[in-house]
Amino acid sequence: MSRKIDITLTVNGAAYAHAADTRSTLVDFLRDDLKLTGTHIGCEHGVCGACTVLVDGEAVRSCLMLAPQADGASIVTVEGLGAANGELGALQRAFRKHHALQCGFCTPGILTTAHALLTQEPDADADRIRDVLSGNICRCTGYVTIVQAILEARDAYRRPADAGTSR
Amino acid sequence: MTIVQNTPLVGTSLERLEDERFLSGRGQYVADVRKAGMLHAAILRSSVAHGRIVRIGLDAARALPGIHAIVTAADIPQPIPRIPLRLVPLPEFAPYHQPVIASAKVRYVGEPIAVVVADSRALAEDAIDLIEIEIDNLPPIGDRDVDASGSFLFEETGTNIALRYHTASGDPDGAFATADYTRRETFQIQRHTAAPMETRGLMAQWDESGPTLKLYGAAKVPYFNRRALAAMMNLPETSLELIEVDVGGGFGVRGEFYPEDYLIPFAARLVGKPVSWIEDRREHLMATNHSRDVGATVEIACTKDGTITGLRGEVFGDMGAYIRTNGGVVPTAAGMFLQGPYRIANVDITVLALMTNKTPVGTYRGPGRFEANFFRERLLDMAAADLGIDPAEFRRINLIREDELPYSIGKRAPHLPDAVYDTGDYHAAFERCLTEIDWTGKAAVQGRLIDGRYHGVGIASFVESGGAGPKETSRFVLEKDGMVTIAVGSSMLGQGLETTFSQIASDALNIPVSAFRIDHGSTARLADGLGSYHGRSIIVGGSAVLDGAEKFRTAVIEAAANLLGRPNAELRFENGAVVSDAGASISLSQIAASRRPDDGLLSVDGIFLVNKPTYSYGTHAAYVAVDPDTGRVEVLDYVAVEDVGRAINPMIVSGQAIGALVQGLGGVFLDHLIYDEQCQLLTASFADYLMPTATDFPSLRSVALELRLSPTNPLGAKSAGEGGMVPVAAAVGNAVGAALQSCGAQPRTLPLSPSKVWSLIHEPAATAP
Amino acid sequence: MKLPDLDYIRPGTLQETIDLLVAYEGEAKLVAGGQSLMPMLAFRLLAPKILIDISRLPGLNAIDIGPDGVRLGALTTWRDIERHAALKTAHPLLAAAIAHVAHYQIRNRGTVGGSLAHSDPASEFPALVTTCDADVVVHGAGGERVVKGSEFVLGAMTTSLEPDEMITGIRFPAWPAARRWGFEEFARRRGDFAMAAAVVFYDLDAGGRAADPHIGIIGEPERAVRLAAVEDLLTGRVIDRDVIAEARAIGEQAAQTSDDIHTPAKYRKALIGTMIERALMTAAGLELRPVAA
């Protein structure tokens, strides 16, 4: 039988202590329990990538992780990608400049994926970016502008202070 | 408002105004709408394609804690409401409208049988697992020969052919009897669908005191759905508010009236609490409209020198189990666009709509056109090869010249007037595309085996309609703070209309885009709106914004005249203020502040009426390499050229073109809804339903031309959202055919999956449609 | 697509884990990365009473390279392998094949033990275990036992694991630096499950002839298999274009395929032959034949 168990975690720098249902996925926990609805559910079976968040610095599909498994973890969601002054970060600005989003539904998962990639590999080339992005489905853009935006944002990640979140 | 907007914004690539909320996670989609006490619904769907419901056992499910209601057909007022047709409302379709819930029979896998309302979605799914359902199976109808078995989806009609009509122009029989050359081929486009990244969802809130219903999750056509739902619920339209929040893609399928659009409000009314239903991906693939699944037998007649003298076709659309709101568009548009941008005097087209035990179809970006262009352009390449004429030259001979426009192809569907292509230079767009792809230079690689792969280039031309009338409306409201709210009847599903409508209004009133707020959130804002489909939002919606802006200017001057005590004739609207010849000035904020409470806010209604569609056109070219050992086709280069009339925001136009192009390539190579002989859907997950990802099609280009303005609207715009999609199968099919010419392989069916292409090369006899 | 009703526990030690498996008598499932299990739960294809989270069990995520070969702890992720510089020389085939596994986000969570326990016939890791004669180290109520790689996977989603057992590690035999190898895979899209793949390696004897060739394929419906007929053909031969063409034909012949929705059996047989050919070309250092038009 499912039941609630207490977990603690930090999300975008804020600490939470919360009871999570044992059958809750991390994405449902973030959306329903923590009310962080920026992370989206596109398929719930680990294919589309819309629910991607960073768990301890690594991009992860949050529909394929149980909420209790995030106990003690440090999580970054799309809500945590902005610059410290509350404005859009370099990656987000590049997305707007290059029209790398249309309906915006897959965008949070693509931003978190790209943020993880560029944090680890700020020199990723277009092939590497496409390779990594192949785990995220976008039905609107055809990906061309997304790749352009991520390429442009690389500069900011080479100088981490500008890259957006430092939390 | 005193900031001056000096340079025109229409025609510039303004960054999108809506992006900031999407990029920061502040978009609000329907699953993000939460209300106190909100319950969650899940739907039991038929797992049987065709059968009679014998028994539904609810006891075990009802006994589960946390279950508030289980609704079946027995709970719905009789007769069970059926979903009306929004487009192509032919009387022949009347027996086939979908009831909102299955009662006696089920007709496709995914048809709703029961709705469970529970404290959580997980509990609702637990209850669904406990519902006992007994169905007596009937023989399913799945293939094209629908009446062969004597099993009928609707016994009372005695046939599974819902519609058959015939249109002709000129003397097709004569043309074929006397032709130098004829060729007849059969083609088929596989069933696939839009699969937007956000599934459907609804959140219904019933207030007994009104009574009123608020329904969140509307999209595309909220006003039509309000009308339909009001009729079904026996309520005045004014009691219903359909609310459009952010929408994660539509492409034709999202926002049409589906069974859940009745069932969820019904459930909310029953339990007296807000009820949310968020479609999961498995349900989406079996419940949301499928599309395409059109085949055709097409015959061409030509003179020896390559002049097309006749075209005959029989088009058959697999409609699935019911005719849904816009399902009739799919086969009828395929018939309509079979002729394409060519001068063909003698045409004969028959269209059939076939009922099968599959999910009902509706429109998907470029409905009927994607299919028709594939059929015709493939046949053109085969004919050109037979006649020994270069495929480009063959098209040059037959493409309609500008001096022949306007060009009527006659009446091609029972529900539509004659189709008349309006303006354009089809040849210019065609030649531009050939230049971009280097058609002449590519002759050297055409059909050659290079490093183990066959190379080929294909081209395809198209003409397509957009901008459906008859009208759209807007309302400009001067808010207390001097901001201008523009309520629009158009709907937003990611096309960037908040930006482009602001650009149009900004230029018309010469005030910056930051002065506007585009309001598309609710059916309470306007008396009517037609929504977003058929590439109509800029053309018709944007023109209504333009009209509203002009009327707004007049109304503001009128208001200022009273306040300044000057006659209207002395006043001008400039720089966000009304100024007089004598130098007096009053800003929008001041006008707003001067309104007396009884007057309410200053507001005007804009409207745009139109009874003709626009016709955009263009040519695509694809350059591919085919690996004969694996059947993998790589798209080495792709150019899409389209005349959009006028691009309000070129960046957005390009985004639409490339996005549509990749969707089209998905339809060519990947997207496929597969059924088995029992009409079981085998592709109900994203592990099985394949769509393009970032590594699949990296080399794509689009060229948006502004060659000829559309005469139907003051913006001069033609549709720009579908041209990237509609000739993709045609161009790629021709490229693959050209690459494999030495094997004699001719793509006639999609998808061009690796196994299909391998079969074309290695077992050509086995790949007839 | 919410998960079925289930409990969750995260034991601290291997012994606690085994005790829980024993106590739940087959009604518990182990979860680590969850990348195969979670979709099955979402579709409610499984309904265990409890998930036992082994993702933090100590000592199970090490990659040890020694004279006897490479030992992967069961919790080693695909990304751990990808980032391990020494593995690229210690077991280049492993590193190359793993590059085909799924996508970035899944690679961060998915584990070798999970993949092997799940034993999807189209996945890479079980094919490596089978082809490379790896040993699977298993712990259960009866203590540790070692299962030969070729005997571990019994069929599609079926292994020789007992209900009270879990995989703790996989041991790949030492890899001679001069060994020739190739890995070729064909999937619909990047990161999709393989429609066909070939895992090949052999050593060279003093005369430059293939010694002890291992030819494994993905593409049969039950599990990855080694093709003895191809291995027999290659043994003692100089691997040139002619031999490779023969190997392709024999491999295509020997592979037992069946239809699925994306892959007709006949096509898959041909594809297996092509993968064998291409993997052997790589192993032999030959370019795929450029053919003039």
Side-chain angles (χ1 to χ4, degrees), chain A residues 1-3 5 22-23 25 28 43-46 52 58-61 63-66 68-69 71 113 116-117 120 128 131-132 134-136, chain C residues 1-8 10 31-35 38-39 42-44 49 51 53 55-56 79 82-83 103-106 108-109 190:
Chain A
M1 287 286 281
S2 70
R3 61 192 169 94
I5 56 175
T22 52
R23 65 157 141 173
T25 58
D28 279 339
C43 75
E44 279 182 299
H45 54 276
T52 303
E58 305 283 5
V60 160
R61 300 195 192 288
C63 75
L64 293 189
M65 189 166 169
L66 292 159
Q69 288 188 295
D71 188 17
T113 302
L117 172 66
Q120 294 168 2
R128 174 62 177 156
D131 185 33
V132 166
S134 68
N136 293 73
Chain C
M1 291 176 58
K2 302 304 176 193
L3 306 195
D5 197 8
L6 49 79
D7 200 352
Y8 168 92
R10 190 168 64 231
V31 62
Q35 304 299 287
M38 291 289 281
F43 281 103
R44 299 199 174 194
K49 274 190 178 161
L51 294 179
D53 183 359
S55 61
R56 300 186 199 186
R79 286 279 273 168
E82 188 176 307
R83 287 171 177 168
H103 301 98
Y104 186 67
Q105 300 94 333
I106 287 180
N108 283 328
R109 293 278 301 165
R190 176 77 183 94

Side-chain angles (χ1 to χ4, degrees), chain A residues 23 42 92 102-103 130 139 143, chain B residues 16 29 126 194 671 692 694:
Chain A
R23 65 157 141 173
Q92 293 159 313
Q102 290 182 23
C103 79
R130 283 192 179 268
R139 199 58 162 165
Y143 306 103
Chain B
R16 297 203 322 172
Y29 299 84
D126 293 349
D671 293 66

Side-chain angles (χ1 to χ4, degrees), chain C:
Chain C
M1 291 176 58
K2 302 304 176 193
L3 306 195
D5 197 8
L6 49 79
D7 200 352
Y8 168 92
I9 190 165
R10 190 168 64 231
T13 66
L14 183 58
Q15 192 53 52
E16 280 178 56
T17 308
I18 303 295
D19 292 346
L20 283 164
L21 285 173
V22 170
Y24 277 94
E25 296 179 320
E27 296 199 85
K29 281 296 255 185
L30 300 177
V31 62
Q35 304 299 287
S36 301
L37 180 65
M38 291 289 281
M40 298 188 76
L41 293 171
F43 281 103
R44 299 199 174 194
L45 299 173
L46 295 171
K49 274 190 178 161
I50 189 166
L51 294 179
I52 303 171
D53 183 359
I54 57 171
S55 61
R56 300 186 199 186
L57 287 183
L60 291 183
N61 63 350
I63 299 176
D64 296 313
I65 300 172
D68 299 341
V70 173
R71 187 187 193 283
L72 304 177
L75 295 176
T76 304
T77 67
W78 311 118
R79 286 279 273 168
D80 292 338
I81 293 173
E82 188 176 307
R83 287 171 177 168
H84 200 284
L87 258 189
K88 289 178 177 58
T89 47
H91 207 298
L93 171 64
L94 176 66
I98 291 320
H100 291 261
V101 176
H103 301 98
Y104 186 67
Q105 300 94 333
I106 287 180
R107 299 162 65 80
N108 283 328
R109 293 278 301 165
T111 65
V112 295
S115 171
L116 194 55
H118 184 64
S119 69
D120 189 305
S123 58
E124 292 83 0
F125 193 71
L128 287 173
V129 168
T130 297
T131 309
C132 294
D133 296 318
D135 285 332
V136 183
V137 184
V138 164
H139 275 77
E144 178 181 303
R145 70 183 177 110
V146 176
V147 187
K148 286 181 62 171
S150 56
E151 292 163 10
F152 184 79
V153 177
L154 303 177
M157 302 359 193
T158 312
T159 70
S160 59
L161 274 184
E162 296 297 328
D164 66 354
E165 287 183 326
M166 64 173 275
I167 302 167
T168 52
I170 297 99
R171 297 195 300 236
F172 286 85
W175 183 271
R179 179 169 280 174
R180 313 307 300 252
W181 61 276
F183 181 87
E184 279 291 328
E185 175 173 318
F186 190 84
R188 285 297 289 275
R189 300 170 300 182
R190 176 77 183 94
D192 281 350
F193 277 111
M195 293 160 82
V199 188
V200 313
F201 63 89
Y202 54 86
D203 298 315
L204 292 178
D205 68 13
R209 292 176 292 266
D212 195 21
H214 284 56
I215 307 292
I217 56 156
I218 295 173
E220 296 203 352
E222 287 298 316
R223 57 196 176 122
V225 295
R226 282 172 63 178
L227 295 179
V230 180
E231 292 176 354
D232 290 347
L233 168 81
L234 299 177
T235 304
R237 300 283 291 273
V238 173
I239 308 301
D240 58 16
R241 290 181 189 279
D242 293 340
V243 171
I244 290 172
E246 230 180 306
R248 170 182 169 158
I250 289 175
E252 184 173 330
Q253 196 70 36
Q256 303 293 309
T257 58
S258 60
D259 290 333
D260 71 31
I261 57 171
H262 295 303
T263 325
K266 195 173 169 188
Y267 166 69
R268 200 195 295 267
K269 271 174 96 75
L271 204 53
I272 288 169
T274 298
M275 295 300 107
I276 291 170
E277 175 185 47
R278 291 182 181 182
L280 282 171
M281 292 286 244
T282 308
L286 297 170
E287 292 284 322
L288 271 179
R289 193 187 332 248
V291 184

